[in-house]
Amino acid sequence: MKRILVCCLLFFLLACVPTPEEEIVANKAEGRLEDLIDTDAVAAYAPENEARSLRSRLGAPDRVTETLTDHVFGGTLHIDIDAEVEIPDVSAIPVCSIGEKQLSAEEKERLVRSVLGEGPYYAFNRSIYERDVYRQYIERYQILIEEIWSSPNGTQEEKQSWVNDMEAERNQFVRALQKLTVDEPMQPWTGSFADETVSVADMQNNQAVIHSDVILYAPSGVDTESYAMQHPIRTDEERQAAKKAMTYLSDRFDTPLVPMSISRIEDADGYDGRLYDQSHTTYVVELLPVYNGIACFPGTTEHGSDTAMQAAGYEPDYTKALPKERILAYLKDGEVVSFEWHSPMTLLGTENENVTLLPFAKIMEQFRSHIFLNYYLDKLDGKESELTLRIRAIRLCYALIRKPDSGAYYLMPVWDFAMDAAWLGEDGAWSHETVCALSINAVDGSVIDRNLGY
């Protein structure tokens, strides 16, 4: 397609600002995106021996600080932007096809050997796992009871009340353990590494699972579901934990990774976190896959109130979930003891080796035009409400975009305007999630709903 047609398309997309009566997902491509992807690849954004970078070619600043206010459905929305503009250090932005990772039998076997050793292998024993979990919780509650009695805080009556609560919780696991029938001994694994789903254990019932939706390794009896809110990596110890996680996973997978955030299990709120043995340090590191030097964030789009959306007449279809590729590594005393890789993906091909990106100024124009069309507030007692969204990161990254009539996806560059969806921890550090107030396609300027993939 001639470049003049591309310019006309871009002008059309940027000029047609939707009204509140239009569909919530503005500027759906409807074939135009494919036309843009099929254009000739552009020259490198940051060629060797040139001082200009991708940032300078896009005209993007290091930081954006501004405030916006306008009326939305149900009230008034304030936008507080104080955000670092995050841009990958690359010279090309390819658009690729990506799909579900399919490991060969040989790759599955190599992965299992890397976590469970050379065998022999056994069928995962659910009853032994439950026994080990119950024992672990009984031990944790007992430790907590002893800590309550030895604590200098609280009166005798208060301590007795706390202990009574802990004993009641502990006794639930005691009764469950007494009722449990344990199937012993471990039975040999009779499956094949060529099976679509591989679930195998070692003699200690440590389990490895390889499936299209998840790849995981978990020691028997280790409960990894409860952990503190994630926060940015900030200390030397946390950086070391993240480095250890990356090294461990890089030895087993060919997908480059970068750490996104971290939490410390012992810092979790409530009994679950407090029950972890405080003599150990257990970190959970969340990592992101990197394709072509660009991180792929599992973002979600926040539209505000679901009931307000319905009142406005919108019924978005969320029945078909978009894959969210996420990697969690659990470290105890500096060593990886477990990991989970959800919705593992792999590159299938390159659609365009280097697409034309809109200037950053155009992206900001689109944000200002569309943010107030994509957020909904509930009225309170019949009166319009008021809310402030705090944008704390504007990042150029990859996102999955649905590919028409295909089980695969485009790996598309987008600008995420990430919100401060957070809770303030005791140390004053903000936890965060990958929640976006708006995501804008970096190629054509269309608004992307990260929950739907278009």
Side-chain angles (χ1 to χ4, degrees):
M1 181 177 292
K2 301 296 185 182
R3 188 169 299 276
I4 187 171
L5 179 56
V6 175
C7 294
C8 290
L9 283 169
L10 288 176
F11 175 82
F12 176 79
L13 289 168
L14 292 171
C16 295
V17 179
T19 66
E21 286 73 32
E22 289 186 279
E23 195 169 356
I24 184 172
V25 183
N27 289 342
K28 286 203 282 189
E30 297 177 352
R32 299 191 299 270
L33 182 58
E34 282 71 27
D35 291 338
L36 292 172
I37 292 173
D38 287 341
T39 59
D40 294 336
V42 299
Y45 284 100
E48 292 185 14
N49 303 320
E50 284 196 19
R52 296 191 70 189
S53 64
L54 174 59
R55 181 184 297 274
S56 64
R57 288 180 183 271
L58 296 178
D62 293 329
R63 194 170 197 87
V64 172
T65 304
E66 65 177 83
T67 57
L68 306 167
T69 298
D70 207 339
H71 186 268
V72 298
F73 184 91
T76 300
L77 185 65
H78 306 284
I79 307 297
D80 172 24
I81 307 177
D82 185 9
E84 181 181 355
V85 180
E86 302 172 7
I87 297 179
D89 184 17
V90 296
S91 60
I93 306 289
V95 173
C96 301
S97 294
I98 193 169
E100 184 180 285
K101 183 185 285 289
Q102 300 287 347
L103 296 179
S104 66
E106 292 76 16
E107 290 172 322
K108 292 176 183 177
E109 183 174 4
R110 183 167 61 251
L111 177 57
V112 167
R113 290 182 183 278
S114 74
V115 294
L116 296 182
E118 298 298 320
Y121 301 125
Y122 299 86
F124 174 68
N125 190 315
R126 171 61 61 178
S127 65
I128 290 179
Y129 169 80
E130 291 176 352
R131 180 200 65 190
D132 292 346
V133 168
Y134 296 157
R135 287 177 174 175
Q136 183 184 65
Y137 271 97
I138 292 169
E139 180 181 354
R140 290 176 182 175
Y141 277 110
Q142 188 58 43
I143 292 173
L144 189 55
I145 289 170
E146 293 172 1
E147 288 179 349
I148 290 173
W149 284 127
S150 61
S151 172
N153 301 317
T155 65
Q156 193 72 9
E157 292 76 13
E158 289 173 332
K159 290 182 178 181
Q160 186 63 64
S161 177
W162 298 335
V163 167
N164 291 342
D165 290 341
M166 294 299 98
E167 288 179 339
E169 296 279 351
R170 180 197 61 190
N171 291 341
Q172 292 184 38
F173 291 100
V174 172
R175 289 191 293 271
L177 182 59
Q178 292 170 343
K179 294 178 182 178
L180 181 66
T181 300
V182 179
D183 300 323
E184 293 184 295
M186 296 284 290
Q187 299 299 313
W189 179 57
T190 58
S192 167
F193 288 111
D195 294 342
E196 181 179 354
T197 298
V198 172
S199 178
V200 62
D202 61 14
M203 187 61 185
Q204 287 73 43
N205 204 36
N206 302 317
Q207 183 188 26
V209 175
I210 303 172
H211 182 63
S212 59
D213 293 334
V214 66
I215 299 173
L216 68 82
Y217 163 65
S220 183
V222 174
D223 177 18
T224 56
E225 293 183 358
S226 301
Y227 56 92
M229 291 300 302
Q230 300 287 99
H231 61 259
I233 296 168
R234 56 182 183 266
T235 68
D236 289 341
E237 186 175 347
E238 290 172 348
R239 282 187 282 271
Q240 185 62 32
K243 182 179 179 181
K244 202 64 173 276
M246 284 193 296
T247 300
Y248 180 93
L249 292 168
S250 297
D251 290 342
R252 290 160 176 81
F253 300 96
D254 58 3
T255 302
L257 305 171
V258 293
M260 184 183 78
S261 55
I262 195 168
S263 67
R264 186 173 180 265
I265 289 181
E266 292 88 341
D267 295 336
D269 292 331
Y271 296 146
D272 288 342
R274 290 165 57 194
L275 286 173
Y276 278 87
D277 185 351
Q278 300 293 314
S279 64
H280 299 276
T281 299
T282 309
Y283 283 114
V284 184
V285 180
E286 181 165 2
L287 304 107
L288 298 175
V290 176
Y291 302 101
N292 306 309
I294 305 166
C296 185
F297 279 78
T300 59
T301 299
E302 174 60 48
H303 292 296
S305 166
D306 290 340
T307 55
M309 287 179 63
Q310 294 169 1
Y314 296 122
E315 292 288 346
D317 180 14
Y318 295 121
T319 57
K320 189 175 182 181
L322 191 71
K324 300 291 186 183
E325 190 170 15
R326 299 175 65 241
I327 305 102
L328 298 173
Y330 300 80
L331 296 91
K332 187 174 183 178
D333 295 337
E335 299 296 330
V336 175
V337 296
S338 177
F339 70 84
E340 306 169 13
W341 194 316
H342 297 273
S343 298
M345 309 292 280
T346 188
L347 291 177
L348 302 177
T350 301
E351 305 285 339
N352 189 316
E353 293 182 355
N354 193 14
V355 290
T356 302
L357 302 184
L358 292 176
F360 184 76
K362 291 293 185 183
I363 299 299
M364 287 303 302
E365 287 180 16
Q366 287 294 85
F367 176 81
R368 298 184 189 104
S369 299
H370 288 80
I371 183 59
F372 298 104
L373 304 177
N374 283 266
Y375 211 89
Y376 300 80
L377 298 176
D378 284 317
K379 291 185 178 181
L380 304 176
D381 297 326
K383 298 180 180 179
E384 292 196 337
S385 56
E386 193 170 357
L387 181 69
T388 298
L389 300 184
R390 294 174 174 81
I391 308 300
R392 292 297 177 257
I394 304 173
R395 65 172 70 99
L396 179 62
C397 61
Y398 270 145
L400 299 188
I401 305 297
R402 294 192 186 277
K403 204 171 184 181
D405 305 317
S406 173
Y409 303 87
Y410 287 123
L411 198 58
M412 181 67 64
V414 303
W415 287 97
D416 276 347
F417 288 75
M419 290 168 53
D420 208 2
W423 291 261
L424 187 61
E426 292 181 357
D427 59 356
W430 284 94
S431 302
H432 71 284
E433 300 176 44
T434 51
V435 179
C436 305
L438 205 66
S439 293
I440 299 175
N441 191 317
V443 177
D444 67 358
S446 60
V447 173
I448 302 296
D449 190 318
R450 292 291 238 112
N451 307 321
L452 301 175
Y454 56 75

